[in-house]
Amino acid sequence: MSVKNDARKIELNTPLLDQLETGGWPSFVTDLKAYSKKRPQVGQLLNQLNESYENRWNYWIGTVLNVPGYGGGVIARLSQKADKYPDLAQFHTVRVIEPPGWVYNTKNLRQLADIAEKHGAGIMQLHGMTGDVLLLGFDNDQSMSVAEELMENGWDIGGSGGALRTLQCCVGQARCEMACYDTMKVTKHLTDTFIHYLHRPEFVYKFKFKLSGCPNDCSNAMMRSDMPIIGTWRGEMQINQAKVKEFVKAKGRAYVIDNVLTRCPTKCISLKDDDSIVVEHQDCVRCMHCINVMHKALKVGKDKGVTICIGGKRTLKIGDTIATMIVPFMKLESDEDLGKLTEFVERVWEFWNDNGMDHERVGEFIARVGLATFLDGIGVEPDVRMVNRPRSSPYIKFEELAPARIGGEQNKMPPVWNKEPEGAESVSR
Amino acid sequence: MTDMSETKMAPRDQGAPDYKVNLHPVMLKNYGKWDYHERLRPGVLVHVAESGDKIWTIRAGSPRTMSADKVREVCDIADKYCKGFLRFTTRSNVEFLVDNEASIAPLIKEVEEKLKFPVGGTGPSVSNVAHTQGWMHCNLPGSDAAGSVKALLDELIDDFKNERLPNRVHISSSCCQINCSSHADISVIVQHHHPPRINHSNMQICELPKVVAICPVAAIRPAVVNGHDSVEVVKEKCMYCGACHGQCPSMEIRDSETDTLSIWVGGKTSHARTPPTLMKLAVWGLPNNPPRWPEVGQAVRTILDAYRKGGKPYERIGEWIERIGWQRFFEVTGFPFTRYHIEDNSDALLTFNRSAMVRI
C-alpha cells in the first residue's frame, strides 16, 4: 500500500476562519494554516471548513469502511465538495486506543504524530469524547496502511458502532491520593479481556465504560458511560485530628462550619470544642466534599473498592440518564476480583443483548423492562441502596400467590416476609 | 478466528497500550502511594507522595485539534523539562509533569510563548471546553465545534487562567442534539426547528426499519412515495431531535436558516455534596453565528458573572441555582422563562412545583 502525499496545492481562501486567529486561546486555524504549507490537503480542509462557515452547512457524508478483520474504528467520511477539493474525496478518521489515563512518553506520542503524518493529513485530536486518540484524513488505502503501521507498533484500533467502545479512566493511583482503585490497571484489563467485543460489533448498541478512582468522577463516567466504575471505600474514612486542628486554626471555625459541616449531604460531621471533628461514619455517603476541602487532614478509607453503576448516557433516545447504582461495594484488587468483575460484565451483556431492542442502550433497556426485572436477569438481589425511595404506586405485579403463568396450579410461594432469597450470589458479597 | 494469512492485515487485538512505559518515573515509583496535593497557583499542582517525592503538574489548555507538528512542539517541551513525560486530561488539557521546582517557571514561559497555550484550568476556574467534531469532520453537525469553542474560550480565557469562581466550571459544546460532549455546568447545544425534510428518491441507501425504529416518539412510519419504499413523518409527533438523520442522511433535519443554539446549566458528574445532576435549559434561540458566535459567548459570560457574584465557595453552578431558586436565576441572568422551559418528557410531573411554596 502506497503512501500518497501528492495532494494538490490550492490557494488558501479562509476569510472567516482567519477571524479565529485572534484572541488568547490557541488557534487551531493558525496551526493548520502553517501546517498546510507542508500538507496541501490540510489547506483544502480549511477551505472547505470556511465554506461551512459561510453557508452554515456541512459537507461530509458518513460511510462505512473497515480494516479487514475489524468491525469498527474507522470513521469514514466523503466530501461533497470533492470536485473542488479532490484530496478530501475520502477523508476518514481512525480511532486509536489511548494509553489508560492519557499518559504518554514523548517517544510514543511522536510515533503517533509520525504515523498520522506519513499516512494521512497529519491532524490529531487529543482526545475524542470516548477517549480515543483521533487521527484525521486518510483515504481508503491509507486507512489500511495506517492501521497496519499502528498495529505493527503495538497500537490498536478503537471502537465504533454497536460494540464495546474504547475505555477511558482518570489518572488514578498514578498521581492521585484519592484514587480508591487502580483505574489504569482495570481499564487495561477490561480493554484487553474484551477486545474482541471492541473490534467486532455484536451488541444491540454501543457500550461504554468509564472509570474514576473516586466519586469526584474525573473521567466523567456517570452520564457518559453505560457502566461507570467509581472508586470508593468501606468503613471509616481516615482522619488525622492533628491536621484537622491545623486546618481549623488556619481557616477559622466559621469557615469550617460554612464550607465543610453544612455542605455534608448527610450532616454526619460535627466540630468539637477542641477543634477536632467527629464523623458518624455509618451516615457518610462518600461524596468526597470534606476530603476535597481538607485533603491533608481527611483521606479516603483504608478498605478500598468500587461502586458499580449501570446505564448512563445522553439523550437519545428516551432522554438523558444518569447511571443507577447496582453494586454498592466490591473489592477490585486481586486477579480473582478482576475475574468477578469480568463475569459480572458478561452477565449484564448477555441479558441486555438477548432482550434489548436494536439501538437500545442498557440504561434504556432498564427503563423499559424495569430495574427489578433487570436485576433478576443479571442475578443480583435488590438492595435498598439502589433507590432513593421505595415505590409510591400501589399497582404491584406480585409473583407470589398469583395464578400460574402457563396453566397448572396456583403459585404457593411462602409469603415475602420469610422468604429465603434466591438467585445468583450477589457480586458484592 | 478467521485465517487472514492471505492478506497482510490481520486482526491482532492488541488492546490498550502499556501505561507503565508512559508514566513519569516519579509517578511509577510512587504509584498508589500518594499522600496529598496542593494548588500552588492557577495551573500548577504539586502531588506529594508518602515517600516525600514530589511531582509538579503544569496544566495548559490545548486546542484539542493539533497538527503533527504542533504535537511535536508539545513533545519538545516535555523532552526539555519533563524527562519526556506528559498526559492529557478528560477535557483535553495537556499536563506537563516535572520533578524539580526550578523547571516550573521556564516551562510555563515556553508553554505560553512558544506553544501559545494558556496555563490554568485548575481549581475554581473554567476548564477547557469539551467538544465534538463539527464541520471539520462530522456527518451530522448543525454548527462547528473547534471554532465555536475557540471563540468561546477567547471570551472566557481570564477565567481559565485565574481561580476566581466559587468552584470549577465545566463547559461542553455540541453541534447536534446527540450531544457527544455531554452534560456540564454549562452546555451549548444546537437545536432544530422543524421536522426532517425527506429526500424520497434517495431513501434506498438507508435501512428503513432502522430509520423507523430510531424515532423516540414513533413519528416515523413506512410509506410508499412515488413508487419507492420510503417513510413519512407525523409532524405533530416529531420533536425535531434529528435521531433519524443519524440513521439516514436522506432525512435532513438541519437548516442553515433556522438552526439555533441553546444553553443548558447545572449538569454535574461529580458526587461532591450533591449527587450527579442533569443539565437544565437556561436560554434557547441564540443565533448560529459563525465565525465567533458572539451571542453564545455573551450568554455564557452572563451566567458566569451571575454565578461569580452569587455563588458560595464550593457551590457548582447547579447547586448555586438550587439554593437561590430558578426564579432568581432567571432574574439575575435576565433570560426569559418561556413555555419551552417546562419539561414535557416522561418525568415531567416530577419537575413541577407540586406545592404552594413560592417566593412572592
Side-chain angles (χ1 to χ4, degrees), chain A residues 193-208:
Chain A
T193 303
F194 292 129
I195 193 73
H196 171 77
Y197 295 99
L198 193 147
H199 284 150
R200 282 162 280 281
E202 52 184 272
F203 295 163
V204 293
Y205 201 22
K206 66 181 76 163
F207 194 96
K208 295 183 178 185

Side-chain angles (χ1 to χ4, degrees), chain A residues 297-314:
Chain A
L298 308 179
K299 290 197 188 318
V300 298
K302 285 185 173 166
D303 187 5
K304 299 178 174 74
V306 295
T307 297
I308 301 177
C309 305
I310 298 183
K313 48 164 268 302
R314 248 304 269 160

Side-chain angles (χ1 to χ4, degrees), chain B residues 46-352:
Chain B
V46 61
H47 283 80
V48 183
E50 288 163 5
S51 65
D53 289 354
K54 290 182 178 180
I55 187 125
W56 286 268
T57 300
I58 291 84
R59 184 179 292 174
S62 94
R64 191 176 86 124
T65 301
M66 293 181 261
S67 67
D69 280 350
K70 181 60 73 175
V71 171
R72 291 183 190 111
E73 284 176 39
V74 171
C75 289
D76 288 344
I77 292 183
D79 281 338
K80 190 167 169 185
Y81 296 103
C82 312
K83 297 200 163 89
F85 293 92
L86 68 159
R87 74 175 289 265
F88 292 83
T89 70
T90 306
R91 308 194 87 72
S92 297
N93 293 310
V94 56
E95 291 189 332
F96 295 96
L97 305 153
V98 301
D99 54 15
N100 70 83
E101 212 167 351
S103 298
I104 296 173
L107 186 150
I108 289 176
K109 194 166 183 287
E110 281 202 38
V111 167
E112 287 176 341
E113 288 174 10
K114 278 194 184 168
L115 284 181
K116 305 265 190 299
F117 288 5
V119 170
T122 53
S125 67
V126 169
S127 189
N128 202 341
V129 174
H131 65 275
T132 50
Q133 290 288 27
W135 289 326
M136 188 184 283
H137 205 258
C138 186
N139 58 328
L140 308 167
S143 182
D144 195 31
S148 61
V149 164
K150 149 74 179 155
L152 181 59
L153 279 160
D154 281 347
E155 173 74 28
L156 306 178
I157 191 157
D158 288 341
D159 280 312
F160 178 90
K161 289 179 175 175
N162 295 288
E163 296 178 347
R164 56 183 198 187
L165 289 153
N167 202 342
R168 70 185 70 251
V169 175
H170 287 165
I171 303 180
S172 72
S173 167
S174 296
C175 22
C176 81
Q177 292 188 84
I178 292 171
N179 183 221
C180 298
S181 46
S182 188
H183 289 258
D185 297 287
I186 302 175
S187 299
V188 184
I189 303 178
V190 163
Q191 291 188 293
H192 311 292
H193 292 261
H194 52 64
R197 302 182 299 278
I198 307 173
N199 180 354
H200 293 289
S201 60
N202 198 37
M203 284 305 283
Q204 293 65 42
I205 63 167
C206 301
E207 287 184 63
L208 299 189
K210 286 206 169 212
V211 181
V212 171
I214 195 70
C215 180
V217 289
I220 302 176
R221 303 192 289 221
V224 175
V225 182
N226 306 331
H228 288 297
D229 283 344
S230 184
V231 298
E232 62 185 7
V233 174
V234 181
K235 289 186 170 55
E236 293 74 16
K237 284 186 178 179
C238 176
M239 53 187 187
Y240 321 151
C241 76
C244 53
H245 184 219
Q247 282 299 301
C248 180
S250 305
M251 308 283 288
E252 184 53 76
I253 188 74
R254 295 165 302 175
D255 185 330
S256 61
E257 294 306 313
T258 60
D259 285 348
T260 59
L261 291 142
S262 53
I263 296 182
W264 306 68
V265 291
K268 159 178 175 298
T269 189
S270 156
H271 295 65
R273 298 164 306 283
T274 48
T277 48
L278 299 173
M279 58 191 198
K280 294 95 181 166
L281 180 62
V283 60
W284 56 272
L286 301 172
N288 186 11
N289 196 0
R292 296 199 74 93
W293 291 268
E295 299 82 0
V296 172
Q298 196 183 348
V300 172
R301 161 69 49 213
T302 299
I303 296 166
L304 272 187
D305 287 347
Y307 167 60
R308 191 194 330 272
K309 199 169 157 191
K312 290 184 174 175
Y314 301 107
E315 271 181 341
R316 295 282 289 268
I317 286 182
E319 297 172 304
W320 159 64
I321 299 170
E322 288 300 325
R323 176 173 57 82
I324 65 171
W326 285 95
Q327 177 186 359
R328 199 174 319 154
F329 170 78
F330 284 98
E331 280 168 14
V332 296
T333 54
F335 299 142
F337 183 82
T338 67
R339 65 187 301 256
Y340 301 118
H341 286 82
I342 298 172
E343 182 68 82
D344 55 10
N345 204 344
S346 55
D347 61 349
L349 274 177
L350 302 174
T351 70
F352 303 158

Side-chain angles (χ1 to χ4, degrees), chain A residues 92-391:
Chain A
H92 313 320
T93 284
V94 174
R95 292 177 175 172
V96 183
I97 301 176
E98 81 289 0
W102 302 291
V103 288
Y104 290 95
N105 69 40
T106 48
K107 181 174 139 286
N108 289 333
L109 191 53
R110 285 179 195 278
Q111 183 182 63
L112 277 179
D114 292 346
I115 293 173
E117 187 173 74
K118 177 178 163 188
H119 297 270
I123 300 171
M124 302 168 72
Q125 291 177 329
L126 299 159
H127 295 81
M129 288 293 109
T130 306
D132 302 91
V133 185
L134 306 176
L135 309 179
L136 273 68
F138 306 92
D139 69 16
N140 294 358
D141 289 347
Q142 291 167 329
S143 300
M144 304 302 141
S145 62
V146 74
E148 179 64 15
E149 183 156 1
L150 284 165
M151 287 186 277
E152 281 293 322
N153 286 285
W155 301 95
D156 207 346
I157 308 294
S160 65
L164 169 63
R165 296 299 189 85
T166 305
L167 287 80
Q168 76 176 34
C169 68
C170 66
V171 71
Q173 296 184 333
R175 199 206 56 199
C176 183
E177 72 274 13
M178 297 179 188
C180 296
Y181 73 107
D182 190 341
T183 55
M184 289 184 180
K185 178 180 159 187
V186 178
T187 298
K188 182 158 172 57
H189 165 82
L190 289 171
T191 306
D192 297 358
T193 303
F194 292 129
I195 193 73
H196 171 77
Y197 295 99
L198 193 147
H199 284 150
R200 282 162 280 281
E202 52 184 272
F203 295 163
V204 293
Y205 201 22
K206 66 181 76 163
F207 194 96
K208 295 183 178 185
F209 285 97
K210 289 186 180 1
L211 289 79
S212 286
C214 80
N216 282 318
D217 194 10
C218 288
S219 74
N220 281 14
M222 289 302 288
M223 296 162 214
R224 287 171 68 183
S225 68
D226 299 276
M227 192 180 283
I229 300 178
I230 309 288
T232 190
W233 67 94
R234 194 162 45 182
E236 304 186 348
M237 72 166 85
Q238 301 177 64
I239 303 173
N240 180 328
Q241 294 289 6
K243 289 193 170 155
V244 169
K245 289 175 182 177
E246 276 175 35
F247 184 88
V248 178
K249 195 166 176 226
K251 294 279 189 179
R253 289 175 69 86
Y255 181 94
V256 177
I257 291 163
D258 286 348
N259 292 299
V260 183
L261 271 58
T262 57
R263 302 303 178 80
C264 171
T266 56
K267 305 292 177 283
C268 67
I269 311 172
S270 53
L271 182 63
K272 298 297 163 197
D273 288 342
D274 65 352
D275 287 350
S276 66
I277 58 167
V278 173
V279 178
E280 299 290 344
H281 291 285
Q282 70 274 19
D283 287 334
C284 168
V285 289
R286 283 94 183 114
C287 88
M288 297 299 292
H289 174 75
C290 61
I291 298 174
N292 291 342
V293 179
M294 302 170 69
H295 55 261
K296 284 183 184 170
L298 308 179
K299 290 197 188 318
V300 298
K302 285 185 173 166
D303 187 5
K304 299 178 174 74
V306 295
T307 297
I308 301 177
C309 305
I310 298 183
K313 48 164 268 302
R314 248 304 269 160
T315 310
L316 257 183
K317 82 189 217 185
I318 63 162
D320 307 43
T321 58
I322 302 174
T324 300
M325 201 294 299
I326 300 291
V327 179
F329 184 86
M330 70 179 278
K331 298 294 281 182
L332 200 48
E333 284 160 15
S334 65
D335 288 347
E336 195 192 344
D337 298 337
L338 288 171
K340 265 190 177 176
L341 174 65
T342 307
E343 189 254 344
F344 175 71
V345 169
E346 283 171 338
R347 290 212 308 259
V348 171
W349 284 352
E350 185 177 17
F351 186 61
W352 165 57
N353 283 302
D354 280 353
N355 300 287
M357 296 194 296
D358 182 47
H359 254 266
E360 186 171 53
R361 297 279 288 268
V362 69
E364 297 170 326
F365 174 62
I366 293 171
R368 179 168 62 88
V369 304
L371 181 58
T373 301
F374 180 74
L375 294 174
D376 271 350
I378 62 171
V380 171
E381 286 295 320
D383 183 314
V384 66
R385 291 168 292 186
M386 296 171 179
V387 297
N388 285 332
R389 58 165 177 82
R391 70 190 300 143

